[in-house]
Amino acid sequence: MTKIQIFDVYKTYATRSGRTTALQKVDLDIRENEFIALVGPSGCGKSTLLKLITALIRPSRGKILLGGTLLDKPSRDVGIVFQQPVLMPWRSVLDNVLLPAEILGLDMKEARARAVELLDLVGLGGFENRYPGELSGGMQQRAAICRGLVHDPSVLLMDEPFAALDAMTREDLGFELLRIWERHRKTVVFVTHNIPEAILLADRVVAMSPRPGRIEKVIDVDLPRP
Ligand code: ADP
Ligand code: ADP
């Protein structure tokens, strides 16, 4: 089943010096529960493509369907993890994770149980009542991943979530991500500069090229899961 359908998408930004075409004629079908890695040099439009799937920005041309429906406003079926965890320092780890559930007005008792389960899954069991300043960068990013999943979206978008982490933490977190993906069956779109990481984690690697950004090739990864 197709989860996300990207159809003939172009994105042009207006800039001081004219217009920048960030994406040109992007077509991609992302299957339900598929793990997609988006790779390519800086400026090839990876973030733009991810932002279009959040519906925080709109395509200049073409359309994106989520679960067969036109994606014309941000959907609660989508969770987002950014490059920096940006946790609120005055809120406990648990209260940070619960933020999307609060904003969406979800049942907080259910959300709390889910948050505790997710924190446990990424090795942060027992840290619920600690504050972000007491956690390492890797632990903060784990909490941010839990925050991206607390409202139980079926799609998780991640923009270089490990970029700020050292190699060892990065690898650990990659394996944890796989465990989450296997346990909860999500459709994941993951932006990375790291090709080995892309091959290790993804079902398909989507390689993009710049000026203007477009899909160069789509590679099926047929590796056993670690
Ligand atoms: P369009 O897709 O027709 O350009 P948008 O609503 O996406 O319309 O954007 C409105 C204007 O803001 C456009 O001129 C666009 O180039 C610019 N724009 C879009 N996204 C951003 C952004 N993230 N930051 C700055 N400018 C943007
Ligand atoms: P990547 O994530 O692959 O580095 P981006 O999607 O950030 O690529 O950028 C693609 C192209 O669009 C680049 O040329 C970038 O300078 C341009 N761009 C991105 N965001 C904006 C914006 N808000 N306003 C104008 N140009 C932008």
Side-chain angles (χ1 to χ4, degrees), residues 16-159:
R16 240 174 299 160
S17 53
R19 297 172 76 77
T20 308
T21 299
L23 291 175
Q24 175 169 276
K25 189 151 182 55
V26 173
D27 288 286
L28 182 67
D29 278 4
I30 300 173
R31 294 185 281 268
E32 201 159 30
N33 299 335
E34 190 173 30
F35 199 129
I36 292 275
L38 278 184
V39 303
S42 181
C44 70
K46 303 182 295 295
S47 295
T48 297
L49 188 54
L50 212 66
K51 274 191 228 157
L52 286 167
I53 303 172
T54 65
L56 292 170
I57 61 171
R58 308 286 294 279
S60 308
R61 181 179 143 183
K63 59 185 175 184
I64 300 178
L65 305 184
L66 176 68
T69 307
L70 185 69
L71 188 62
D72 55 2
K73 58 174 189 307
S75 165
R76 64 189 277 177
D77 199 28
V78 174
I80 310 169
V81 180
F82 301 100
Q83 190 165 334
Q84 302 290 341
V86 284
L87 301 174
M88 296 181 178
W90 60 87
R91 286 186 149 225
S92 69
V93 169
L94 182 63
D95 286 343
N96 267 287
V97 171
L98 284 170
L99 200 62
E102 266 176 50
I103 292 170
L104 291 166
L106 303 188
D107 180 323
M108 289 313 283
K109 202 171 156 222
E110 257 172 48
R112 194 172 294 265
R114 218 182 133 68
V116 168
E117 185 203 340
L118 284 166
L119 284 166
D120 197 44
L121 192 66
V122 300
L124 286 179
F127 285 86
E128 292 85 352
N129 298 318
R130 304 288 276 276
Y131 285 81
E134 302 175 78
L135 306 188
S136 71
M139 291 162 94
Q140 291 186 28
Q141 194 53 289
R142 286 177 170 82
I145 292 172
C146 297
R147 179 182 57 192
L149 289 167
V150 75
H151 55 301
D152 202 16
S154 63
V155 176
L156 182 64
L157 306 177
M158 290 186 282
D159 197 350

